[in-house]
Every structure is written in C-alpha cells, then in structure tokens.
Amino acid sequence: MIPSFFFAHGAPLLAIEKNEYTEFLNQLGQNLPRPKAIVLFSAHWEAPVQRVSKVDQYSTIYDFGGFDPALYTIQYPAKGNHEVSQEITDLFAKSGVSFNIETKRGLDHGAWVVLRLLYPNADIPVIAMSVNPLLTPMEQYKIGKALSVLRANDMMIIGSGGTVHNLRALKWADNGQVDQWALEFDNWLAHHLNTWDVESLFNYHSLAPSSEVAVPPYGNEHFIPLFYAMGAADDQQEATLLHRSFRYGNLSHSVWQFGE
C-alpha cells in the first residue's frame, strides 16, 4: 500500500531553485515507491463539480506571470491513463460523488512543479483532479476517502497546495525569519493532524489561531487539498510530518504523509 501525501508547491520559482525544500523533494522522490499512477488534486484547478482528467498526453500550463523567463520553457510531458481514470469515476459513482470528465486540460504548476521535483522523468501516468473550495472540509475528505482503495493498488494520491498561503502577507525580501502567526497556525494544524482529530480540523476556521490570516477569507483553495489527501488514508488514520520549512516570512513548505 502506498501512502497519500500533501505537498506544498510554494511559489513557481521552486521549479528552478535549489534550496532546503527542493533538495528534500528530490531525495524523497528517490526513496518513495514507484507508483502505478499518481492521482493529484491541485489547488490551481477549481471546479464546482469534481473533474477527473482522461487524457493521453498533458500539456504544461504556465498559470502565473512576472517570473523568471526560464520557468516558461519548462515542460513536464506526463501521460494519463484511461483505465485509472475509469477506475476513479467508477469509485465516485459507487460513493455518490458527482463528477465530470476532462479531456483537454494540461497540468498546472500546482501539479508539475511538485511532480517534476519528485519524478523528473515524467514517466509515471498522472490523473489530474480538481478541488472545490465551496464544499465543506468533511465533503472534501469524503471525496478522498472514496479513492482510498487505489492506494492498495499501487497508486499515489497527492494533494498539492499550502497549509499557510496568503500572498498578501508574503515578504519577498526573505530574511529567514518566520512570522509567529504562521508558526502558531501550523503547529495547531500539526497537533490535530497527528491525533487525526477531524472534528477540530473540519472547524479549523473557527478553532485554529490566526486561521483568517493563514487561510484568508478570499481563498482557501491552497489549504483544502490537505483534506482530499487525508481522506484517502481514512482506513489507516496515521499522519506524519516529513518536512516543514518557510519562505518569504510565512509561506509554508510542508509535506505530510497519510497512512503507510
């Protein structure tokens, strides 16, 4: 059985930087089991109804602007897998999860930045998945839970986003200092993930310190992939923090493993 994971994808610059986090992801990719396929929920693909990719070959989407021109030359030519896409939609139908098939969309940077650091050869099939910020955390968790059987079939389920992600609060002149509010929120989150306290986690917005800054009202899309990945390991309910670091004062680079 392969664990599910939550990866912070940080700023797009991670794709060309060498730092503590990129080195960790490079090493982790070498140590992880090689999955049959990767099912990835990206913060950068929002949809009101769950979307499931069913493509032969992905294009690379540059869904950002104003960064180093080198970023716009990167390609991550991953392939899809129609059989796995069908297996996912069958599981959703069985669990009562509404869905639509997507046959054209490429991989956004929430997907390819992380995947390129983990598996640079782009030789593992990928099934891209949308997220829905309007659902409750419990509903997002249940979507992940519907796919938990895939882990026993050598597939890796990933949520890609960021536990602390507030672009308006970033300090681009990074001096290595971490804002106290970001640490307090992430520490609260870690405690309740480690104890699999879903009741508190589902109510993070009212219980967690500084939640309104860490997960701002104008956007929770980067936080919620955590619930999809967590739900995929509901059958084991074990959480392990593999890495945590911060950039730009408060942008979290965290990696959570769910299950074994």
Side-chain angles (χ1 to χ4, degrees):
M1 184 172 290
I2 294 181
S4 60
F5 293 91
F6 174 83
F7 291 101
H9 60 248
L13 289 170
L14 277 182
I16 57 175
E17 289 179 330
K18 288 189 177 181
N19 55 44
E20 176 186 358
Y21 186 43
T22 61
E23 290 179 2
F24 173 81
L25 291 180
N26 288 152
Q27 188 62 48
L28 181 64
Q30 296 175 35
N31 295 331
L32 287 174
R34 181 180 174 83
K36 172 185 175 182
I38 296 171
V39 181
L40 190 146
F41 292 88
S42 172
H44 288 277
W45 187 10
E46 299 178 42
V49 176
Q50 181 64 52
R51 306 295 291 273
V52 181
S53 288
K54 191 174 184 179
V55 302
D56 294 315
Q57 180 85 49
Y58 288 98
S59 60
T60 305
I61 302 174
Y62 308 104
D63 50 337
F64 47 80
F67 288 96
D68 189 318
L71 285 172
Y72 304 92
T73 67
I74 293 174
Q75 297 285 323
Y76 192 80
K79 295 182 178 180
N81 184 308
H82 287 206
E83 291 183 1
V84 176
S85 295
Q86 184 63 51
E87 189 171 354
I88 290 170
T89 57
D90 288 346
L91 289 169
F92 281 159
K94 182 179 179 180
S95 300
V97 176
S98 298
F99 63 87
N100 289 322
I101 300 295
E102 170 58 54
T103 61
K104 296 181 180 180
R105 190 179 190 276
L107 292 178
D108 58 64
H109 84 273
W112 62 259
V113 168
V114 169
L115 292 176
R116 186 169 176 267
L117 289 166
L118 292 170
Y119 300 109
N121 295 328
D123 55 355
I124 298 174
V126 176
I127 311 301
M129 309 285 284
S130 66
V131 298
N132 184 356
L134 299 180
L135 296 178
T136 66
M138 180 182 292
E139 290 169 324
Q140 294 151 357
Y141 184 98
K142 286 182 176 179
I143 289 174
K145 182 178 178 180
L147 303 181
S148 60
V149 67
L150 297 179
R151 298 193 303 113
N153 295 330
D154 296 327
M155 298 185 215
M156 182 181 293
I157 299 172
I158 292 175
S160 173
T163 57
V164 181
H165 186 277
N166 186 337
L167 297 182
R168 298 177 187 176
L170 296 186
K171 300 171 182 175
W172 291 103
D174 195 347
N175 62 4
Q177 297 297 312
V178 181
D179 291 336
Q180 186 63 29
W181 60 264
L183 282 173
E184 290 176 353
F185 176 84
D186 234 30
N187 287 339
W188 180 94
L189 180 65
H191 171 74
H192 293 283
L193 286 171
N194 283 326
T195 57
W196 211 270
D197 180 5
V198 292
E199 182 175 352
S200 294
L201 291 167
F202 291 167
N203 292 284
Y204 73 90
H205 55 283
S206 60
L207 298 179
S210 302
S211 62
E212 73 285 352
V213 187
V215 186
Y218 61 82
N220 66 352
E221 73 289 335
H222 277 73
F223 186 72
I224 62 173
L226 184 78
F227 293 124
Y228 293 87
M230 190 181 185
D234 180 77
D235 53 344
Q236 291 185 307
Q237 299 192 359
E238 295 180 11
T240 306
L241 180 62
L242 301 183
H243 176 89
R244 186 177 74 171
S245 56
F246 290 86
R247 294 289 302 280
Y248 315 118
N250 51 67
L251 183 66
S252 65
H253 288 165
S254 54
V255 177
W256 281 94
Q257 174 180 312
F258 301 115
E260 296 180 346

